[in-house]
Amino acid sequence: MRVFDNSLWDAMRARWSALRHRSAMRRELGEELHAHIQHRADDLERGGMSRVEAERQARVEFGGFEHYREESHSAQGWHWAEALLRDVRFGLRVLMKSPSFTAAAVITLALGIGANTALFTLVRGILLRPLPVRAGHRLVVVWDSNPGVGLSRVGPSGQDYLDWKEQGLHSFEDLFLFEHGTGTVTGNGDPEQLAGLRVTTNFGDFFGIVPVVGRTFLPEEKSARHTLAVLSYRYWKRKYQGNAAVCGQSMTLNGENYTIIGVLPASFDEMFPVDVVVPFDDGWVRRADSDLGVLGRLRPGVTVSQASAEMNQTMARVVRQRPERKGFGTVMVLLESVRMEYIRPALLVLQCAVAFILILACANVANLMLSRGTSRRQEIAVRISLGATRKQIVRQFLVESSLLAMLGGMLGLGLAWVSMHLWARYGPAQIPVPNAAYEVTLPAVHLGGSEVVFALVVSLATGILFGLIAPLRLFTGNTQDALKNGGRGTIGAVRGRGTRAVLVVVEGALALVLVVGASLMIKSFSRLLAVNPGFDANRLLTLRIKLSADAAGSAYRDPAKRAAAFHDFLEQVRGVPGVESAAFTEIVPLSQDDMDRGPFVIEEKPMGDVKPSADYRDISPGYFETMRIPLLQGRSLTEEDDAQHPRVVVIDQTLAREYFGTENPIGKHVVLPYGSRVPRMVVGVVGAVHDSSLSGASEATIYFPYMQGPNQTMSMVVRTAQPEDVVLPGIRNAILSVDRNQPVFEERPMAEIMGNVTSAPRMAFILLDVLALVALVLAAVGIYGVTSYHVGQRTQEVGVRLTFGATPEGILRMLVRQATTLTLAGVGAGLVCALLMTRLMSSLLYGVSSTDPVIFVGGAALVTLVATIACYLPARRAVRVEPLAALRSE
């Protein structure tokens, strides 16, 4: 092996040396060959020949110099490299002689390669990127579900988590419990509300976290109450300027002193975009209600279905111990899938669209190469007659096409780079996780080595693909005919038309698919924007307030104090100049905050097997007026609906229709099967509101007066005519005037919230429209180019027809009809493809069928119109020539 290695190394070194010194070696070879001839001539001269005759005879005996030079180059092993270099130089000269052709081909390819590279960057950075945690591909999200009462993907309770742990599930290496929340930091400058995470103490081990500073929690710390805190990297940098001595310092969080013990790595922000992490203890876990998060790490080799089966068996055992869990099961999905459920359909549809753009670009360039190759058939025939092999001709075409593709690839990389900057500036930073009351922070995406390699591979592949078409079609004729006909010969001329016709059909079909897809998105998005959410989102500002009730001495542990505080906040804010009205709600519609949903019973109307459920919403008086939700029956909630008065509720139109039908619900009572089970009288009916999405149906909702059970966290909605930055300082000061340690957070206009829930269809809408426009332009340019070439080839025929009395109008109709026939064939094929491809878009569409006949007919008409114009322009130019000039043309 060592001998082989040395021999191989010596051979490579010798070849490299020959390549570096090839000029000197060529000169030495020439001198040596010349010396041999001179020696032989000397011998012949001594035999009696004249010097001139001796040198001539020596050359004849020796043979041609070029033969020996070729043998020498072959022995040096770089003959192919030199031949390739010659082809590259020749190809560059040919492309530089045709700047219009080169520019058109490079720009066309750049659009296709750039679009594909940009989308590859997004898909790789968002969908294919592994989670920055230990065994991220084996992490699953576990939800509770109860289909019988319409519950799916409900966050488990702390007791659910403990039950699963105690059952010793074999499918999992470990389970992890967490709860999203916020915490109020005081005592270190202005009060600040932080995004927080409360976790079980296996937090560090579960995710394999290596802290930047300090440590995470220890499993043995789970039993006792610990006021320990781990900071996120971004908060550590912002608040403590990256001070490594932060560990051991204390911070006042929700009125309690916490000791900072570590800092998370920056990459963990992608997993949980929070500021601070604190631990559960066992007592807290047992008290924790539903809407928590549970992750499980599967054992290697265990599938999600196997784990789900074991979990269902476990739930059956749990029900025997806790009968109230009857009907509940679990839903389990891989975390990697859950995080990107919302955006994946849009990206996959766009991936198909950019692939079509690349095929269109290749078809256009192949058409250009084919037309140009046909015009070079005499040159090719001459080269073949002089000894060039077909392999050399094909290689020359491939080199030229590869040069075009590489230039297009470089320009495409530039377009992809610009696209990524536009994405970073205008693309969504976060996307919602459906039915999970959670938003995922999208990772930053940028061009890297993988994207450059992708662009290089796509460029070479497209260069070879469209570069092979022209030479293969050109070698179907007779070389002698081409020479005799002086460039008007038959090498590939006839069959090339067939290839170009196929390319035109493909272009028309792909353009129609993209036009139909974009039209469906336009119609769908316009209908989505036209959906009435059930409230007036204009000039509506939202913000959140959380009362710190963790500390043992906190006044906000008393519900009456919480109710009084929220009441005072409202009174002060309503007095701020520019504020028209203000109110509190537990959850702002469409905000993707925690979904509070549960069953209920109508006291006067047993439902039998039907188990009704509804969204629960705690609101303050004035909420419906501020949101401009119409009151349909009865009355709204008032200040008198407090803890000292009978329990009342307001229901929405959806609940009234589904569960009361034509009966009057006013005066009826609803009972929640959990908790106090106190009957609550229905005092009013309001309009339905879209709470979770604009595309889904509005859910049945029960509105409770917050004074009869105030929460710790409430969202304030403010109707104002003032800009956000003008009115917000006054609102903050009004809150601080009640409690100087009370911050507000998540200040957002309602328009921004509504924009978030339409981010995926909006992204698909914009990008598909751009791609459809590009496709239409590429198809038009391609059809125009083919028709131009085809009509140019028939100039003499046009001249003959004109000479024999045909009218220009008649010839124009004939040419357009013949050219349009191909387009119609492409439109027909495109309609079939569109019927199949648009099914992929079904999940992105709202209020429109993926086979909408109006869209399909309109798209077909648009593509036909554009193609007809592209055919008409060159045909009109052809019939305007003088008959004699046409007859003389070649």
Side-chain angles (χ1 to χ4, degrees):
M1 180 62 74
R2 180 173 292 280
V3 172
F4 172 77
D5 290 346
N6 288 338
S7 301
L8 180 62
W9 173 248
D10 292 340
M12 291 178 63
R13 193 167 55 181
R15 291 186 177 188
W16 176 246
S17 176
L19 183 65
R20 287 183 60 195
H21 307 293
R22 61 183 184 280
S23 298
M25 294 183 72
R26 184 175 298 175
R27 187 172 60 254
E28 291 174 1
L29 177 64
E31 292 172 356
E32 185 177 348
L33 292 175
H34 185 71
H36 281 295
I37 291 175
Q38 291 302 317
H39 289 157
R40 177 58 181 160
D42 291 344
D43 292 340
L44 293 173
E45 188 177 13
R46 282 193 291 272
M49 283 188 180
S50 66
R51 185 63 190 178
V52 174
E53 181 62 22
E55 288 184 351
R56 189 191 67 79
Q57 183 60 33
R59 287 195 181 91
V60 171
E61 293 177 1
F62 197 79
F65 274 29
E66 289 303 319
H67 171 70
Y68 292 103
R69 285 197 178 107
E70 292 294 330
E71 284 190 348
S72 174
H73 292 161
S74 298
Q76 291 168 4
W78 291 105
H79 178 69
W80 64 270
E82 291 187 354
L84 180 62
L85 192 60
R86 282 198 302 272
D87 287 341
V88 170
R89 288 173 178 163
F90 181 75
L92 287 174
R93 285 200 299 272
V94 169
L95 296 181
M96 291 174 67
K97 284 182 179 177
S98 307
S100 300
F101 163 80
T102 304
V106 168
I107 292 173
T108 301
L109 287 171
L111 288 173
I113 296 172
N116 276 270
T117 304
L119 201 68
F120 172 77
T121 307
L122 288 179
V123 171
R124 181 175 175 276
I126 295 175
L127 296 186
L128 305 181
R129 182 174 179 166
L131 293 171
V133 295
R134 171 187 174 190
H137 64 288
R138 286 193 278 126
L139 298 185
V140 294
V141 185
V142 186
W143 286 286
D144 277 342
S145 71
N146 191 338
V149 294
L151 298 179
S152 64
R153 293 193 175 188
V154 177
S157 66
Q159 188 58 53
D160 290 333
Y161 167 78
L162 293 175
D163 288 341
W164 297 337
K165 292 279 284 187
E166 290 169 2
Q167 292 293 328
L169 297 167
H170 299 293
S171 299
F172 298 92
E173 288 181 340
D174 201 1
L175 292 173
F176 165 72
L177 180 73
F178 65 96
E179 179 184 23
H180 281 284
T182 61
T184 307
V185 174
T186 53
N188 188 12
D190 293 334
E192 186 178 12
Q193 201 73 26
L194 302 183
L197 194 69
R198 193 174 291 278
V199 299
T200 44
T201 53
N202 61 345
F203 170 64
D205 177 68
F206 187 87
F207 292 112
I209 295 173
V210 178
V212 176
V213 177
R215 66 174 178 89
T216 60
F217 314 114
L218 303 175
E220 54 268 28
E221 291 171 337
K222 68 176 183 179
S223 301
R225 178 89 166 91
H226 292 282
T227 51
L228 306 176
V230 177
L231 305 181
S232 72
Y233 185 85
R234 61 177 180 177
Y235 182 69
W236 175 56
K237 281 287 188 182
R238 177 171 66 84
K239 193 69 176 180
Y240 295 92
Q241 293 75 47
N243 180 8
V246 70
C247 292
Q249 295 186 25
S250 63
M251 62 186 299
T252 304
L253 187 63
N254 291 338
E256 289 187 294
N257 285 327
Y258 279 75
T259 303
I260 300 170
I261 62 170
V263 177
L264 297 173
S267 60
F268 201 74
D269 284 350
E270 182 184 332
M271 187 73 187
F272 288 110
V274 298
D275 297 313
V276 62
V277 182
V278 298
F280 281 120
D281 58 63
D282 275 354
W284 195 306
V285 171
R286 291 186 188 282
R287 294 192 305 272
D289 203 351
S290 59
D291 290 332
L292 303 181
V294 171
L295 299 180
R297 189 174 64 244
L298 299 175
R299 293 186 186 280
V302 176
T303 64
V304 174
S305 58
Q306 290 171 335
S308 297
E310 185 186 8
M311 186 63 88
N312 288 334
Q313 295 172 1
T314 301
M315 288 299 290
R317 293 195 296 272
V318 170
V319 167
R320 288 196 287 272
Q321 301 169 3
R322 298 169 58 203
E324 70 272 16
R325 301 303 289 168
K326 184 179 179 181
F328 278 86
T330 58
V331 174
M332 203 176 301
V333 184
L334 283 171
L335 179 60
E336 288 181 337
S337 300
V338 171
R339 286 165 53 85
M340 299 303 158
E341 270 184 1
Y342 180 71
I343 201 171
R344 180 182 287 108
L347 288 181
L348 292 181
V349 167
L350 290 173
Q351 202 165 20
C352 293
V354 296
F356 285 177
I357 291 291
L358 183 60
I359 296 173
L360 267 172
C362 287
N364 264 8
V365 178
N367 256 330
L368 288 172
M369 292 285 288
L370 194 58
S371 302
R372 191 162 170 274
T374 305
S375 66
R376 292 171 64 187
R377 56 186 181 272
Q378 188 182 24
E379 170 205 332
I380 296 168
V382 170
R383 292 178 65 182
I384 291 175
S385 300
L386 292 178
T389 64
R390 295 193 172 191
K391 177 181 175 183
Q392 290 173 323
I393 299 296
V394 171
R395 188 180 66 200
Q396 180 59 49
F397 269 88
L398 284 178
V399 167
E400 290 179 19
S401 63
S402 298
L403 285 172
L404 286 173
M406 295 306 292
L407 291 172
M410 286 190 284
L411 186 57
L413 270 176
L415 293 176
W417 181 81
V418 172
S419 302
M420 289 304 97
H421 275 266
L422 293 175
W423 171 267
R425 182 163 185 176
Y426 300 107
Q430 291 184 321
I431 54 172
V433 179
N435 304 315
Y438 176 48
E439 289 188 341
V440 172
T441 300
L442 291 179
V445 292
H446 53 78
L447 292 179
S450 300
E451 286 71 24
V452 174
V453 171
F454 174 82
L456 180 64
V457 170
V458 171
S459 301
L460 286 175
T462 52
I464 293 172
L465 177 67
F466 69 75
L468 276 176
I469 294 177
L472 291 180
R473 304 310 306 168
L474 291 172
F475 285 135
T476 56
N478 187 296
T479 308
Q480 296 302 322
D481 287 345
L483 283 170
K484 284 187 292 185
N485 290 326
R488 303 187 304 272
T490 58
I491 298 179
V494 176
R495 297 193 181 188
R497 291 178 191 172
T499 305
R500 285 190 293 273
V502 170
L503 293 174
V504 167
V505 171
V506 170
E507 287 180 325
L510 294 181
L512 179 60
V513 172
L514 287 176
V515 167
V516 168
S519 302
L520 287 173
M521 284 306 304
I522 291 173
K523 189 171 182 180
S524 169
F525 197 62
S526 63
R527 292 198 170 179
L528 191 63
L529 294 180
V531 170
N532 179 6
F535 57 89
D536 183 3
N538 293 321
R539 300 185 292 110
L540 199 59
L541 180 66
T542 72
L543 53 94
R544 298 186 74 190
I545 297 174
K546 180 180 180 181
L547 303 177
S548 299
D550 293 352
S554 172
Y556 295 136
R557 288 197 163 198
D558 180 1
K561 296 286 180 61
R562 291 204 295 268
F566 282 125
H567 178 270
D568 292 343
F569 291 150
L570 268 185
E571 290 301 312
Q572 292 299 319
V573 169
R574 285 169 177 165
V576 173
V579 173
E580 297 176 359
S581 61
F584 276 116
T585 177
E586 178 189 4
I587 298 172
V588 174
L590 302 174
S591 64
Q592 305 295 318
D593 287 336
D594 290 340
M595 294 292 117
D596 191 2
R597 185 176 180 81
F600 69 92
V601 176
I602 301 174
E603 191 177 53
E604 297 86 357
K605 190 177 181 182
M607 304 297 290
D609 294 334
V610 179
K611 299 176 180 177
S613 62
D615 289 337
Y616 301 161
R617 297 290 181 269
D618 292 336
I619 60 168
S620 72
Y623 173 72
F624 299 128
E625 292 77 8
T626 301
M627 296 293 288
R628 295 181 180 168
I629 298 172
L631 178 65
L632 305 179
Q633 275 185 274
R635 68 170 177 85
S636 183
L637 301 177
T638 67
E639 296 289 348
E640 294 183 352
D641 296 320
D642 56 19
Q644 284 71 46
H645 287 82
R647 301 300 175 94
V648 296
V649 295
V650 171
I651 63 174
D652 78 333
Q653 189 178 14
T654 303
L655 191 150
R657 183 179 61 249
E658 290 184 1
Y659 300 110
F660 289 96
T662 56
E663 294 182 33
N664 183 0
I666 304 299
K668 301 290 192 304
H669 295 78
V670 298
V671 180
L672 307 189
Y674 308 122
S676 63
R677 304 193 179 194
V678 176
R680 301 163 191 264
M681 187 174 70
V682 178
V683 297
V685 179
V686 295
V689 169
H690 287 266
D691 247 336
S692 55
S693 72
L694 288 174
S695 56
S698 57
E699 301 284 351
T701 307
I702 302 174
Y703 294 97
F704 302 86
Y706 83 119
M707 300 287 281
Q708 294 182 346
N711 288 313
Q712 188 180 351
T713 304
M714 295 292 284
S715 294
M716 180 180 285
V717 289
V718 179
R719 176 77 59 186
T720 174
Q722 300 285 345
E724 176 187 354
D725 54 344
V726 173
V727 76
L728 257 178
I731 293 175
R732 293 195 195 101
N733 291 333
I735 302 292
L736 292 175
S737 69
V738 178
D739 183 344
R740 61 183 178 83
N741 289 325
Q742 185 58 61
V744 297
F745 60 103
E746 293 186 12
E747 302 144 338
R748 295 181 293 177
M750 194 67 212
E752 180 184 324
I753 294 174
M754 295 188 67
N756 284 342
V757 297
T758 58
S759 55
R762 184 172 61 249
M763 181 185 73
F765 159 74
I766 294 172
L767 295 182
L768 260 184
D769 286 354
V770 172
L771 293 176
L773 182 61
V774 171
L776 205 55
V777 171
L778 286 178
V781 169
I783 292 170
Y784 175 85
V786 170
T787 308
S788 259
Y789 176 80
H790 181 64
V791 170
Q793 291 292 97
R794 300 176 65 181
T795 302
Q796 286 185 333
E797 176 191 337
V798 171
V800 170
R801 288 177 180 272
L802 291 172
T803 303
F804 281 93
T807 63
E809 293 77 13
I811 296 174
L812 179 62
R813 283 196 297 272
M814 178 195 71
L815 292 174
V816 172
R817 184 177 63 251
Q818 291 175 353
T820 308
T821 301
L822 293 176
T823 304
L824 292 176
V827 167
L831 287 173
V832 176
C833 292
L835 280 172
L836 300 175
M837 298 300 298
T838 51
R839 295 178 187 277
L840 297 174
M841 303 172 57
S842 298
S843 61
L844 294 173
L845 300 179
Y846 172 76
V848 57
S849 166
S850 61
T851 57
D852 188 302
V854 175
I855 296 286
F856 276 65
V857 172
L862 177 62
V863 172
T864 304
L865 175 64
V866 171
T868 303
I869 294 173
C871 297
Y872 172 77
L873 295 177
R876 188 184 63 172
R877 188 174 62 245
V879 298
R880 285 183 174 179
V881 298
E882 293 294 330
L884 285 178
L887 290 171
R888 289 171 184 162
S889 69
E890 294 184 353

